[in-house]
Amino acid sequence: MDADRQALREKLEGMLAERLQRGQALEKHLRGADGRNEADFADRVAYTEMDEVLTQLDDQARDEVQQIHAALQRVEDGSFDTCATCGEPIGTKRLLAMPFATQCVGCAS
């Protein structure tokens, strides 16, 4: 189980780094720090229209970061492979496919 735990930790840490990088890029864009304020008027209008979608993506990334942090905490305290609903094992295959899963397949259905 230690190998599974390490593999899960590494996968979660990779996901976390990717989500944080994406969030930083979205924040940079939404603040105009990516040079969009120097763009011509038509491009600025297009950027503004995209801001709503990008804000939703940023919110989603923040939510995923919280889920990943919670999953990493479960890895550290040893509860990562236990279903939060029924207490049965979640299963290695499910955790590797969906690393921040908190329920086994039966309870998640």
Side-chain angles (χ1 to χ4, degrees), residues 26-68:
L26 287 169
E27 285 291 322
K28 183 178 178 181
H29 176 80
L30 290 170
R31 285 191 323 265
D34 59 358
R36 74 181 184 159
N37 292 333
E38 288 79 36
D40 66 25
F41 180 74
D43 285 342
R44 285 195 312 252
V45 169
Y47 287 138
T48 302
E49 290 174 353
M50 289 187 304
D51 283 354
E52 185 174 330
V53 172
L54 293 176
T55 298
Q56 291 173 350
L57 289 173
D58 186 46
D59 291 344
Q60 179 182 357
R62 288 173 191 267
D63 183 52
E64 289 175 1
V65 165
Q66 289 176 343
Q67 290 178 37
I68 293 168

Side-chain angles (χ1 to χ4, degrees), residues 11-27:
K11 186 165 187 162
L12 286 164
E13 288 171 348
M15 292 173 70
L16 180 61
E18 188 273 328
R19 297 313 189 280
L20 290 173
Q21 184 178 15
R22 183 187 328 154
Q24 289 172 348
L26 287 169
E27 285 291 322

